[in-house]
Amino acid sequence: MVLKRLNNSERMLEMREPRPLIALDFSSFDDVKSFLAQFPPEEKLYVKIGMELYYAVGPEIVRYVKGLGHSVFLDLKLHDIPNTVKSAMKVLSDLGVDMTNVHAAGGIEMMKAAREGLGKGPKLIAVTQLTSTSEEQMHDFQNIQTSLAESVVHYAKKTAEAGLDGVVCSAHEVEAIKSATSNDFVCLTPGIRPAGSAIGDQKRIMTPADARTIGSDYIVLGRPITRAEDPIAAYQAIKAEWNG
């Protein structure tokens, strides 16, 4: 079953009023249904479906969310041999995802294979360094002895060379990445927290307003919206801040 992607009107709306991505960090289908049911039908969201939810529910969760008219970033961070990633991306393309990702550490050939498998419609981005990774951890565990910023920019340049649309990165790295690639190179930034929110497990964070100012193209928030007493009010406040 191939579900529709954004039409021209929806793309224009996205350009005029960017939507913060809501991370659906739930473990069950019922939790997702209950959360999304709080929003009016005309409020078309952009949601992130990650590993926990996808592995718990399967492809049906993507079909359900797309059936409601929402946009989907399927955050599975594929990292395998090129042929396996290419085949997996063909499956994800048939689900109608709007955006998905791979690990840049998989290499240029893997990223090119992912692009070929997914096709030209959905956005394909790569993970540079996780926002939970500190420079000390990168040096000690990954044995990468450059600075964290240098590692991220290096991965971003290789991602652009492979023909992908952009990267997942910390908002603190957006300016350097766009300088090393282009202004059109997408920077999707997790680790976003409204002022006064708990940091949680993120190491490199920024507010929605600051992320917008420095050039983030997409921002991702989970608990500040999904765990809020009034998720709709929290979402609208963040959306207003994000849109300046």
Side-chain angles (χ1 to χ4, degrees), residues 85-166:
V85 171
K86 178 180 177 179
S87 297
M89 284 295 176
K90 288 180 179 178
V91 175
L92 300 186
S93 178
D94 288 342
L95 287 177
V97 299
D98 299 273
M99 179 160 50
T100 189
N101 59 356
V102 297
H103 267 289
I108 287 181
E109 292 307 314
M110 187 206 74
M111 288 191 281
K112 287 182 176 179
R115 175 81 280 172
E116 186 177 349
L118 187 64
K120 296 296 185 181
K123 284 186 169 57
L124 179 58
I125 59 178
V127 176
T128 54
Q129 292 285 352
L130 297 171
T131 55
S132 59
T133 299
S134 67
E135 191 159 298
E136 181 182 12
Q137 290 171 329
M138 186 189 74
H139 290 166
D140 180 58
F141 187 74
Q142 298 180 31
N143 198 26
I144 296 176
Q145 300 307 317
T146 63
S147 70
L148 185 62
E150 288 173 318
S151 173
V152 167
V153 169
H154 171 74
Y155 276 135
K157 290 166 68 174
K158 292 299 182 183
T159 299
E161 184 180 336
L164 273 60
D165 297 294

Coordinates of all heavy atoms in Angstrom, one line a residue, residues 85-166:
V85 N 20.9 -2.1 3.0 CA 20.3 -0.8 3.3 C 19.4 -0.3 2.1 O 18.3 0.2 2.2 CB 21.3 0.3 3.6 CG1 20.7 1.7 3.6 CG2 22.0 -0.1 4.9
K86 N 19.9 -0.6 0.9 CA 19.1 -0.2 -0.3 C 17.8 -1.0 -0.3 O 16.7 -0.4 -0.6 CB 19.9 -0.6 -1.6 CG 19.2 -0.3 -2.9 CD 20.1 -0.7 -4.1 CE 19.3 -0.6 -5.4 NZ 20.2 -0.9 -6.5
S87 N 17.8 -2.3 0.0 CA 16.6 -3.1 0.0 C 15.6 -2.6 1.1 O 14.4 -2.5 0.8 CB 16.9 -4.5 0.2 OG 17.7 -5.0 -0.9
A88 N 16.1 -2.3 2.2 CA 15.3 -1.8 3.3 C 14.7 -0.4 3.0 O 13.5 -0.2 3.3 CB 16.1 -1.6 4.6
M89 N 15.4 0.4 2.3 CA 14.9 1.7 1.9 C 13.8 1.6 0.9 O 12.8 2.4 0.9 CB 16.0 2.6 1.3 CG 16.9 3.2 2.4 SD 16.0 4.3 3.5 CE 17.3 4.7 4.6
K90 N 13.8 0.6 0.0 CA 12.7 0.4 -0.9 C 11.4 0.1 -0.2 O 10.3 0.6 -0.5 CB 13.0 -0.8 -1.9 CG 14.1 -0.5 -2.9 CD 14.4 -1.7 -3.8 CE 15.4 -1.4 -4.8 NZ 15.7 -2.6 -5.7
V91 N 11.5 -0.7 0.9 CA 10.3 -1.0 1.8 C 9.8 0.3 2.4 O 8.6 0.6 2.4 CB 10.7 -2.0 2.8 CG1 9.5 -2.2 3.8 CG2 11.1 -3.3 2.2
L92 N 10.7 1.1 2.9 CA 10.3 2.4 3.6 C 9.7 3.3 2.6 O 8.7 4.1 3.0 CB 11.5 3.0 4.3 CG 12.2 2.2 5.4 CD1 13.2 3.0 6.1 CD2 11.2 1.6 6.4
S93 N 10.2 3.3 1.4 CA 9.6 4.2 0.4 C 8.1 3.8 0.1 O 7.3 4.7 0.0 CB 10.4 4.1 -0.9 OG 9.8 4.9 -1.9
D94 N 7.9 2.5 0.1 CA 6.5 2.1 -0.2 C 5.5 2.4 1.0 O 4.3 2.5 0.8 CB 6.5 0.5 -0.4 CG 7.1 0.1 -1.7 OD1 7.2 1.0 -2.6 OD2 7.4 -1.0 -1.9
L95 N 6.1 2.7 2.2 CA 5.3 3.1 3.3 C 4.8 4.5 3.2 O 4.0 5.0 3.9 CB 6.0 2.9 4.6 CG 6.2 1.4 5.1 CD1 7.0 1.4 6.4 CD2 4.8 0.8 5.3
G96 N 5.5 5.3 2.3 CA 5.1 6.7 2.2 C 5.8 7.6 3.2 O 5.2 8.7 3.4
V97 N 6.9 7.2 3.8 CA 7.5 8.1 4.7 C 8.0 9.4 4.1 O 8.3 9.4 2.9 CB 8.7 7.4 5.4 CG1 8.3 6.2 6.2 CG2 9.8 7.1 4.4
D98 N 8.0 10.5 4.8 CA 8.4 11.8 4.3 C 9.9 12.0 4.5 O 10.5 12.8 3.7 CB 7.6 12.9 5.0 CG 6.1 12.7 4.7 OD1 5.6 13.3 3.7 OD2 5.4 12.1 5.6
M99 N 10.4 11.4 5.5 CA 11.9 11.5 5.7 C 12.3 10.3 6.5 O 11.6 9.8 7.3 CB 12.1 12.8 6.5 CG 13.6 13.1 6.9 SD 13.9 14.8 7.2 CE 12.6 15.2 8.4
T100 N 13.6 9.9 6.3 CA 14.2 8.8 7.1 C 15.7 9.0 7.1 O 16.2 10.0 6.5 CB 13.8 7.4 6.5 OG1 14.2 6.4 7.5 CG2 14.4 7.2 5.2
N101 N 16.4 8.1 7.8 CA 17.8 8.4 7.9 C 18.7 7.1 8.0 O 18.2 6.0 8.1 CB 18.1 9.2 9.2 CG 17.5 8.6 10.5 OD1 17.0 7.5 10.5 ND2 17.8 9.2 11.6
V102 N 20.0 7.4 7.9 CA 21.0 6.4 8.0 C 22.1 6.9 8.9 O 22.1 8.1 9.3 CB 21.6 6.0 6.7 CG1 20.6 5.4 5.7 CG2 22.3 7.2 6.0
H103 N 23.1 6.1 9.3 CA 24.3 6.6 10.0 C 25.3 6.9 8.9 O 25.7 6.1 8.1 CB 24.8 5.5 10.9 CG 24.3 5.6 12.3 ND1 24.7 6.6 13.2 CD2 23.5 4.8 13.0 CE1 24.1 6.4 14.3 NE2 23.3 5.3 14.3
A104 N 25.8 8.1 9.0 CA 26.9 8.5 8.0 C 28.1 7.7 8.2 O 28.9 7.5 7.2 CB 27.3 10.0 8.3
A105 N 28.3 7.1 9.4 CA 29.5 6.2 9.6 C 29.4 5.0 8.7 O 30.5 4.3 8.6 CB 29.5 5.8 11.1
G106 N 28.3 4.7 8.1 CA 28.2 3.5 7.2 C 29.0 3.7 5.9 O 29.2 2.7 5.2
G107 N 29.3 5.0 5.6 CA 30.1 5.2 4.4 C 29.4 5.7 3.2 O 28.1 5.6 3.1
I108 N 30.1 6.3 2.2 CA 29.5 6.9 1.1 C 28.7 5.9 0.2 O 27.6 6.2 -0.2 CB 30.6 7.6 0.2 CG1 31.0 8.9 0.9 CG2 30.0 8.0 -1.2 CD1 32.0 9.7 0.2
E109 N 29.3 4.7 0.0 CA 28.6 3.7 -0.8 C 27.3 3.3 -0.2 O 26.3 3.1 -0.9 CB 29.5 2.5 -1.1 CG 30.7 2.8 -1.9 CD 30.4 3.5 -3.3 OE1 29.4 3.0 -3.9 OE2 31.0 4.5 -3.6
M110 N 27.3 3.1 1.1 CA 26.0 2.8 1.8 C 25.0 3.9 1.6 O 23.8 3.6 1.4 CB 26.3 2.5 3.3 CG 25.1 1.9 4.0 SD 25.1 2.3 5.8 CE 24.7 4.0 5.8
M111 N 25.5 5.1 1.8 CA 24.5 6.3 1.7 C 24.0 6.4 0.3 O 22.8 6.7 0.1 CB 25.2 7.6 2.2 CG 25.4 7.6 3.7 SD 25.9 9.2 4.3 CE 27.6 9.3 3.9
K112 N 24.8 6.2 -0.7 CA 24.4 6.2 -2.1 C 23.4 5.1 -2.4 O 22.3 5.3 -3.1 CB 25.6 6.1 -3.1 CG 26.4 7.3 -3.1 CD 27.6 7.1 -4.1 CE 28.4 8.4 -4.3 NZ 29.5 8.1 -5.3
A113 N 23.6 4.0 -1.8 CA 22.7 2.8 -2.0 C 21.3 3.2 -1.3 O 20.3 2.8 -1.8 CB 23.3 1.6 -1.4
A114 N 21.4 3.8 -0.2 CA 20.2 4.2 0.5 C 19.3 5.2 -0.3 O 18.1 5.0 -0.4 CB 20.5 4.8 1.9
R115 N 20.0 6.1 -0.9 CA 19.4 7.1 -1.7 C 18.7 6.4 -2.9 O 17.6 6.8 -3.3 CB 20.4 8.1 -2.2 CG 19.9 9.2 -3.2 CD 19.1 10.3 -2.6 NE 17.8 10.0 -2.2 CZ 17.0 10.9 -1.5 NH1 17.5 12.0 -1.1 NH2 15.8 10.5 -1.2
E116 N 19.4 5.5 -3.5 CA 18.8 4.8 -4.7 C 17.6 4.0 -4.3 O 16.6 3.9 -5.0 CB 19.9 3.9 -5.3 CG 19.5 3.2 -6.6 CD 20.6 2.3 -7.2 OE1 21.7 2.4 -6.7 OE2 20.2 1.5 -8.1
G117 N 17.7 3.3 -3.1 CA 16.5 2.5 -2.7 C 15.3 3.3 -2.3 O 14.2 2.9 -2.6
L118 N 15.6 4.5 -1.7 CA 14.4 5.3 -1.2 C 13.8 6.1 -2.3 O 12.6 6.4 -2.3 CB 14.9 6.2 -0.1 CG 13.9 7.1 0.6 CD1 12.9 6.2 1.4 CD2 14.5 8.1 1.5
G119 N 14.6 6.4 -3.4 CA 14.1 7.2 -4.4 C 14.2 8.7 -4.1 O 14.8 9.1 -3.1
K120 N 13.7 9.6 -5.0 CA 14.0 11.0 -4.9 C 12.9 11.8 -4.2 O 13.1 12.9 -3.9 CB 14.1 11.6 -6.4 CG 15.3 11.1 -7.1 CD 16.6 11.5 -6.5 CE 17.8 11.1 -7.4 NZ 19.1 11.4 -6.7
G121 N 11.8 11.1 -3.8 CA 10.7 11.9 -3.2 C 11.0 12.2 -1.7 O 11.1 13.4 -1.4
P122 N 11.1 11.2 -0.8 CA 11.3 11.5 0.6 C 12.7 12.1 0.8 O 13.6 11.9 0.1 CB 11.2 10.2 1.2 CG 10.5 9.3 0.2 CD 11.0 9.8 -1.1
K123 N 12.8 12.9 1.9 CA 14.1 13.4 2.3 C 14.9 12.2 3.0 O 14.3 11.4 3.7 CB 14.0 14.6 3.3 CG 13.6 15.9 2.6 CD 13.6 17.0 3.5 CE 13.5 18.3 2.8 NZ 12.3 18.4 2.0
L124 N 16.2 12.2 2.7 CA 17.1 11.2 3.3 C 18.2 12.0 4.0 O 18.9 12.7 3.3 CB 17.6 10.3 2.3 CG 18.6 9.2 2.7 CD1 17.9 8.3 3.8 CD2 19.1 8.3 1.6
I125 N 18.4 11.8 5.3 CA 19.4 12.5 6.0 C 20.3 11.4 6.7 O 19.9 10.3 6.8 CB 18.8 13.5 7.0 CG1 17.9 12.8 8.0 CG2 18.1 14.6 6.2 CD1 17.2 13.8 9.0
A126 N 21.4 11.9 7.3 CA 22.3 11.0 7.9 C 22.6 11.5 9.3 O 22.7 12.7 9.6 CB 23.6 10.8 7.2
V127 N 22.8 10.6 10.3 CA 23.3 10.9 11.6 C 24.8 11.2 11.6 O 25.5 10.3 11.1 CB 22.9 9.8 12.6 CG1 23.5 10.1 14.0 CG2 21.4 9.5 12.6
T128 N 25.2 12.3 12.2 CA 26.6 12.5 12.3 C 27.1 12.0 13.6 O 27.6 10.8 13.7 CB 26.9 14.1 12.2 OG1 26.1 14.7 13.2 CG2 26.6 14.6 10.8
Q129 N 27.0 12.7 14.7 CA 27.2 12.3 16.0 C 25.9 12.5 16.8 O 25.3 13.5 16.7 CB 28.4 13.0 16.7 CG 29.8 12.7 16.1 CD 30.3 11.4 16.5 OE1 29.7 10.7 17.3 NE2 31.4 11.0 15.9
L130 N 25.5 11.5 17.6 CA 24.3 11.6 18.4 C 24.5 12.8 19.4 O 25.5 13.0 19.9 CB 24.1 10.3 19.2 CG 23.8 9.1 18.3 CD1 23.8 7.8 19.2 CD2 22.5 9.2 17.5
T131 N 23.3 13.5 19.6 CA 23.4 14.6 20.5 C 23.6 14.2 22.0 O 23.9 15.0 22.8 CB 22.1 15.4 20.4 OG1 21.0 14.6 20.7 CG2 21.9 16.1 19.1
S132 N 23.6 12.9 22.2 CA 23.9 12.4 23.6 C 25.4 12.1 23.7 O 25.8 11.7 24.8 CB 23.1 11.1 23.9 OG 23.4 10.1 22.9
T133 N 26.2 12.2 22.6 CA 27.6 11.9 22.6 C 28.4 13.1 23.0 O 28.3 14.2 22.4 CB 28.0 11.4 21.3 OG1 27.3 10.2 20.9 CG2 29.5 11.1 21.3
S134 N 29.2 13.0 24.0 CA 30.1 14.0 24.4 C 31.5 13.8 23.7 O 31.8 12.8 23.1 CB 30.4 14.0 25.9 OG 31.1 12.8 26.3
E135 N 32.3 14.9 23.7 CA 33.6 14.8 23.0 C 34.5 13.7 23.7 O 35.2 13.0 23.1 CB 34.3 16.1 23.0 CG 35.5 16.2 22.1 CD 35.9 17.6 21.7 OE1 35.1 18.3 21.1 OE2 37.0 18.0 22.1
E136 N 34.4 13.7 25.0 CA 35.1 12.7 25.8 C 34.7 11.3 25.4 O 35.6 10.4 25.2 CB 34.9 12.9 27.3 CG 35.7 11.9 28.2 CD 35.4 12.1 29.6 OE1 34.5 12.9 30.0 OE2 36.2 11.6 30.5
Q137 N 33.4 11.0 25.3 CA 33.0 9.7 24.8 C 33.4 9.4 23.4 O 33.8 8.2 23.1 CB 31.4 9.7 24.9 CG 30.9 9.7 26.3 CD 29.4 9.8 26.3 OE1 28.8 10.5 25.4 NE2 28.7 9.2 27.3
M138 N 33.4 10.4 22.5 CA 33.9 10.1 21.2 C 35.3 9.8 21.1 O 35.7 8.8 20.4 CB 33.6 11.4 20.3 CG 33.9 11.2 18.8 SD 33.9 12.8 17.9 CE 35.4 13.5 18.5
H139 N 36.2 10.5 21.9 CA 37.6 10.1 22.0 C 37.8 8.8 22.6 O 38.6 8.0 22.0 CB 38.3 11.2 22.8 CG 38.4 12.5 22.2 ND1 38.7 13.7 22.9 CD2 38.1 12.9 20.9 CE1 38.7 14.7 22.0 NE2 38.3 14.3 20.8
D140 N 37.2 8.5 23.7 CA 37.5 7.2 24.4 C 36.9 6.0 23.7 O 37.6 5.0 23.6 CB 36.9 7.4 25.8 CG 37.2 6.1 26.7 OD1 38.3 5.8 26.8 OD2 36.2 5.5 27.2
F141 N 35.6 6.1 23.3 CA 35.0 4.9 22.8 C 35.1 4.7 21.3 O 35.4 3.6 20.8 CB 33.5 4.9 23.2 CG 32.8 3.6 22.9 CD1 33.0 2.4 23.6 CD2 31.9 3.5 21.8 CE1 32.3 1.3 23.3 CE2 31.3 2.3 21.4 CZ 31.5 1.2 22.2
Q142 N 34.9 5.8 20.6 CA 35.0 5.7 19.1 C 36.4 5.8 18.6 O 36.7 5.5 17.4 CB 34.1 6.8 18.4 CG 32.7 6.7 18.7 CD 31.9 7.8 18.1 OE1 32.2 8.3 17.0 NE2 30.8 8.3 18.7
N143 N 37.3 6.3 19.5 CA 38.7 6.5 19.1 C 38.9 7.5 17.9 O 39.8 7.3 17.1 CB 39.4 5.2 18.8 CG 40.9 5.3 18.9 OD1 41.5 6.1 19.6 ND2 41.7 4.5 18.1
I144 N 38.0 8.4 17.9 CA 38.1 9.5 17.0 C 38.8 10.7 17.7 O 38.2 11.2 18.7 CB 36.7 10.0 16.4 CG1 36.1 8.8 15.6 CG2 36.8 11.2 15.6 CD1 34.7 9.1 15.1
Q145 N 39.9 11.1 17.3 CA 40.7 12.0 18.1 C 40.7 13.5 17.6 O 41.5 14.3 18.1 CB 42.2 11.5 18.2 CG 42.3 10.1 18.8 CD 41.7 10.0 20.2 OE1 41.8 10.9 21.0 NE2 41.0 8.9 20.4
T146 N 39.8 13.8 16.7 CA 39.6 15.2 16.3 C 38.6 15.7 17.3 O 38.2 15.1 18.3 CB 39.0 15.3 14.9 OG1 37.7 14.6 14.9 CG2 39.8 14.6 13.9
S147 N 38.3 17.0 17.2 CA 37.2 17.6 18.0 C 35.9 17.0 17.6 O 35.7 16.6 16.4 CB 37.2 19.1 17.9 OG 36.8 19.5 16.7
L148 N 34.9 17.1 18.4 CA 33.5 16.7 18.1 C 33.0 17.5 16.9 O 32.4 17.0 16.0 CB 32.6 16.9 19.3 CG 31.2 16.4 19.2 CD1 31.2 14.9 18.9 CD2 30.4 16.7 20.4
A149 N 33.3 18.8 16.9 CA 32.8 19.7 15.8 C 33.4 19.3 14.5 O 32.8 19.2 13.5 CB 33.1 21.1 16.1
E150 N 34.7 18.9 14.5 CA 35.4 18.5 13.3 C 34.8 17.2 12.8 O 34.7 17.0 11.5 CB 36.9 18.4 13.5 CG 37.6 19.7 13.7 CD 39.1 19.5 14.1 OE1 39.4 18.7 15.0 OE2 39.9 20.3 13.5
S151 N 34.5 16.3 13.7 CA 34.0 15.0 13.3 C 32.6 15.2 12.6 O 32.3 14.6 11.6 CB 33.8 14.1 14.5 OG 33.1 12.9 14.2
V152 N 31.8 16.0 13.2 CA 30.4 16.3 12.7 C 30.5 16.9 11.3 O 29.8 16.5 10.4 CB 29.6 17.2 13.6 CG1 28.4 17.7 13.0 CG2 29.3 16.4 14.9
V153 N 31.4 17.9 11.1 CA 31.5 18.6 9.8 C 32.0 17.6 8.8 O 31.6 17.6 7.6 CB 32.4 19.8 9.9 CG1 32.7 20.4 8.5 CG2 31.7 20.9 10.7
H154 N 32.9 16.8 9.1 CA 33.5 15.8 8.2 C 32.4 14.8 7.7 O 32.2 14.6 6.5 CB 34.6 15.0 8.9 CG 35.0 13.8 8.1 ND1 35.9 13.9 7.0 CD2 34.8 12.4 8.2 CE1 36.1 12.7 6.5 NE2 35.5 11.8 7.2
Y155 N 31.6 14.3 8.7 CA 30.5 13.4 8.3 C 29.5 14.2 7.4 O 28.9 13.6 6.4 CB 29.8 12.9 9.5 CG 30.4 11.7 10.2 CD1 30.6 11.6 11.6 CD2 30.8 10.6 9.4 CE1 31.1 10.5 12.2 CE2 31.4 9.5 10.0 CZ 31.5 9.5 11.4 OH 32.1 8.3 12.0
A156 N 29.2 15.4 7.7 CA 28.2 16.2 6.9 C 28.7 16.4 5.5 O 27.9 16.2 4.5 CB 28.0 17.6 7.6
K157 N 30.0 16.7 5.3 CA 30.6 16.8 3.9 C 30.5 15.5 3.2 O 30.2 15.5 2.0 CB 32.0 17.3 4.0 CG 32.1 18.8 4.5 CD 33.5 19.1 4.9 CE 34.5 19.2 3.8 NZ 35.8 19.7 4.2
K158 N 30.7 14.4 3.8 CA 30.6 13.1 3.2 C 29.2 12.8 2.8 O 28.9 12.2 1.8 CB 31.2 12.0 4.0 CG 32.7 12.1 4.2 CD 33.5 12.0 2.9 CE 35.0 12.0 3.0 NZ 35.7 12.0 1.7
T159 N 28.3 13.2 3.7 CA 26.8 13.0 3.4 C 26.4 13.8 2.2 O 25.7 13.2 1.3 CB 26.0 13.4 4.6 OG1 26.4 12.6 5.8 CG2 24.5 13.2 4.4
A160 N 26.8 15.0 2.1 CA 26.5 15.8 0.9 C 27.1 15.2 -0.4 O 26.5 15.2 -1.4 CB 27.0 17.2 1.1
E161 N 28.4 14.7 -0.2 CA 29.0 14.1 -1.4 C 28.3 12.8 -1.8 O 28.3 12.5 -3.0 CB 30.5 13.7 -0.9 CG 31.3 13.1 -2.0 CD 32.7 12.7 -1.5 OE1 33.2 13.2 -0.5 OE2 33.3 11.8 -2.2
A162 N 27.6 12.1 -0.9 CA 26.8 10.9 -1.3 C 25.5 11.3 -1.9 O 24.8 10.4 -2.4 CB 26.6 10.1 0.0
G163 N 25.1 12.6 -1.9 CA 23.8 13.0 -2.5 C 22.6 13.0 -1.6 O 21.5 13.0 -2.1
L164 N 22.9 12.9 -0.3 CA 21.7 13.0 0.6 C 21.3 14.4 0.9 O 22.0 15.4 0.5 CB 22.1 12.3 2.0 CG 21.9 10.8 2.0 CD1 22.7 10.1 1.0 CD2 22.2 10.2 3.4
D165 N 20.1 14.6 1.5 CA 19.5 15.9 1.7 C 20.1 16.7 2.8 O 20.0 17.9 2.9 CB 18.0 15.8 1.8 CG 17.4 15.2 0.6 OD1 17.4 15.8 -0.4 OD2 16.8 14.1 0.7
G166 N 20.7 16.0 3.8 CA 21.1 16.7 5.0 C 21.5 15.7 6.1 O 21.8 14.5 5.9

